[in-house]
Amino acid sequence: MHSFGKGNEKMKKWNLIEKINMECPLCDKIHIVEKRTRISKTIVKGEEVEYEEIYFYCANSADDECEFVSGRVQNDNLLNARNAYRVLHGLLTSYEIIAIRESYGLSQVDLAKLLGWGEATISRYESKAIQDEPYDNILKIMKENPLAVYEFLQKNECKFSDSKIFDIKRRIMANLNSYGREYLKRKALESEYIDFKEPCEANGNKTLDIDKLENIISYFAKKINYLYKVKLMKLLWYADALSYKLNGSSMTGLVYRHDDRGALPIGHYKIVGLENIIVKEEEDLEYIRYHFYPNDNLDGTCLSKDEIMILDKIIEKFKSYSTSSIVEYMHKETAYQMTKAGEIIPFSYAKEIKL
Ligand SMILES: [Zn+2]
């Protein structure tokens, strides 16, 4: 966050929102006053935060008495300041809390009933008070996992009418169909990585980063035609290994095992199943092949310039390799030769990759 000054100094920069003809409380006349906004500082819960402050400006008054606020603007300013504090502390803003509640078609009273909280609590969190962390966590779970809302509903069904229960269930299903499924599939992959929650040699000093993984797969699929699973898994290992060699950490945080056909990440079936991975099954005479395609909804902004450079290098090297030739290439790697079937391939061997 930028710092605009020290202490309680008023900021000089401001923006005009609009000019309004109104009764000015400073000079007691009806005239055009400017509604302005600027970045200010205030204290929230004993902590200084920067927030967007709105105020009115009267050009007819003396310099030190030319500003005023209405009651409504004052409330908005307090809301903005509290939301700035929330953002700073990774808490949901009041707007996000409202959006979560409304995504299940719940009134404030409904939400209070559903969670077993006091009725005034929700109303306060959406207007005045900053929520405590345990409350914030429950609201975040509601946002990410509609099934959790279903569990709350089952516990508290007696508090709702039949038609309201029907309505909430319908919303849960709709949310599950849109973003809930993505959450569950990510959780499925994450569950395979509970033993690798800390940076270590197995994950290349990086914990699992699913956003990055999805973007990397899409990037490979964009640049390489006919990208199939076995080859993709090797490309991921090479990208992670090269990143480790150059920067001391992998990109995706995947953990690879020694498989017949080279390095194979733990949870590879779940990687293929991620919502943001576009893959088509193609039936061969003998088996099913997974053909990967780019996902245009992923913008790649989470990939740094250095990371793109690494990916491009991997693509340049292996673009025209067939599955069997990249497997054969991988078989010659020290990382492969020094490990046995099923063993985790430590990233320390990445320093010796043949690239
Ligand atoms: Zn005035």
Side-chain angles (χ1 to χ4, degrees):
M1 188 160 260
H2 296 286
S3 180
F4 290 88
K6 281 178 187 162
N8 292 323
E9 243 176 66
K10 287 248 164 140
M11 309 300 150
K12 289 189 183 74
K13 283 190 171 176
W14 51 267
N15 289 309
L16 180 68
I17 302 174
E18 58 182 333
K19 292 185 180 180
I20 309 169
N21 200 29
M22 66 186 283
E23 198 177 316
C24 173
L26 297 183
C27 57
D28 282 331
K29 284 177 202 148
I30 293 176
H31 71 95
I32 302 278
V33 301
E34 291 184 2
K35 189 179 185 185
R36 293 176 172 184
T37 166
R38 69 182 162 211
I39 302 298
S40 289
K41 287 181 178 179
T42 188
I43 304 292
V44 178
K45 289 187 112 177
E47 203 177 305
E48 190 177 71
V49 293
E50 285 181 351
Y51 73 106
E52 193 170 76
E53 181 189 28
I54 301 162
Y55 63 99
F56 296 103
Y57 173 80
C58 162
N60 301 339
S61 299
D63 264 358
D64 53 343
E65 274 177 46
C66 58
E67 295 178 8
F68 66 95
V69 289
S70 64
R72 193 198 162 124
V73 160
Q74 180 63 13
N75 280 341
D76 286 348
N77 284 340
L78 285 170
L79 195 69
N80 283 345
R82 288 191 201 103
N83 279 334
Y85 176 93
R86 286 171 160 121
V87 170
L88 213 57
H89 289 264
L91 297 168
L92 295 163
T93 66
S94 52
Y95 302 110
E96 287 171 320
I97 295 175
I98 294 169
I100 293 167
R101 173 171 64 71
E102 289 182 342
S103 78
Y104 291 99
L106 301 166
S107 69
Q108 291 183 343
V109 174
D110 290 337
L111 181 59
K113 280 193 216 163
L114 187 78
L115 301 175
W117 297 356
E119 283 180 21
T121 307
I122 307 290
S123 153
R124 279 194 295 118
Y125 288 166
E126 290 181 11
S127 56
K128 295 189 219 82
I130 288 166
Q131 68 275 21
D132 296 327
E133 218 172 291
Y135 290 88
D136 194 72
N137 287 337
I138 288 175
L139 291 165
K140 278 177 184 154
I141 289 169
M142 285 187 69
K143 182 184 175 186
E144 290 179 337
N145 187 2
L147 284 180
V149 177
Y150 184 68
E151 278 174 32
F152 287 130
L153 182 63
Q154 279 183 316
K155 271 185 220 154
N156 295 295
E157 260 191 5
C158 58
K159 298 179 190 164
F160 295 96
S161 69
D162 286 350
S163 68
K164 190 68 206 176
I165 292 169
F166 180 80
D167 182 54
I168 298 171
K169 280 184 181 168
R170 198 174 49 83
R171 302 278 195 141
I172 290 171
M173 287 307 291
N175 289 348
L176 207 51
N177 277 326
S178 55
Y179 57 83
R181 224 167 19 200
E182 181 181 350
Y183 170 83
L184 294 173
K185 288 183 170 178
R186 282 176 166 240
K187 282 286 160 205
L189 178 57
E190 281 172 14
S191 70
E192 301 259 355
Y193 281 77
I194 44 174
D195 287 338
F196 308 101
K197 282 287 187 197
E198 301 294 329
C200 60
E201 230 193 324
N203 57 24
N205 292 330
K206 157 123 195 182
T207 54
L208 183 66
D209 185 338
I210 297 179
D211 286 331
K212 197 151 273 181
L213 174 63
E214 289 174 342
N215 274 278
I216 290 172
I217 291 175
S218 179
Y219 190 81
F220 278 143
K222 197 185 291 180
K223 302 278 175 106
I224 299 175
N225 291 325
Y226 304 108
L227 179 60
Y228 291 96
K229 188 178 166 191
V230 175
K231 180 169 174 177
L232 172 63
M233 297 301 139
K234 297 327 125 202
L235 296 179
L236 289 172
W237 183 78
Y238 272 106
D240 279 332
L242 183 56
S243 171
Y244 183 89
K245 184 181 176 181
L246 297 174
N247 310 315
S249 68
S250 74
M251 292 163 79
T252 64
L254 287 173
V255 174
Y256 300 83
R257 284 190 193 282
H258 178 120
D259 181 76
D260 288 352
R261 297 197 276 178
L264 189 62
I266 288 176
H268 54 99
Y269 281 110
K270 284 163 187 169
I271 296 173
V272 176
L274 288 169
E275 279 293 289
N276 284 323
I277 300 298
I278 301 184
V279 61
K280 288 192 182 125
E281 292 183 8
E282 293 177 2
E283 266 186 75
D284 213 308
L285 282 173
E286 291 170 69
Y287 49 89
I288 293 167
R289 302 209 295 170
Y290 295 96
H291 189 169
F292 290 82
Y293 293 87
N295 181 349
D296 294 330
N297 293 326
L298 300 175
D299 56 5
T301 44
C302 74
L303 299 172
S304 71
K305 263 187 187 165
D306 284 349
E307 287 171 333
I308 298 271
M309 222 171 64
I310 288 170
L311 297 180
D312 285 340
K313 198 165 175 193
I314 302 296
I315 291 163
E316 195 190 330
K317 169 79 185 170
F318 294 112
K319 191 171 185 169
S320 55
Y321 274 56
S322 66
T323 296
S324 57
S325 52
I326 196 170
V327 166
E328 213 173 288
Y329 197 90
M330 167 99 221
H331 281 168
K332 291 183 191 132
E333 293 290 350
T334 309
Y336 191 77
Q337 298 190 339
M338 296 300 285
T339 48
K340 296 191 187 76
E343 277 181 4
I344 287 170
I345 302 174
F347 270 91
S348 47
Y349 291 124
K351 298 214 164 85
E352 296 171 48
I353 47 168
K354 298 174 177 23
L355 274 178

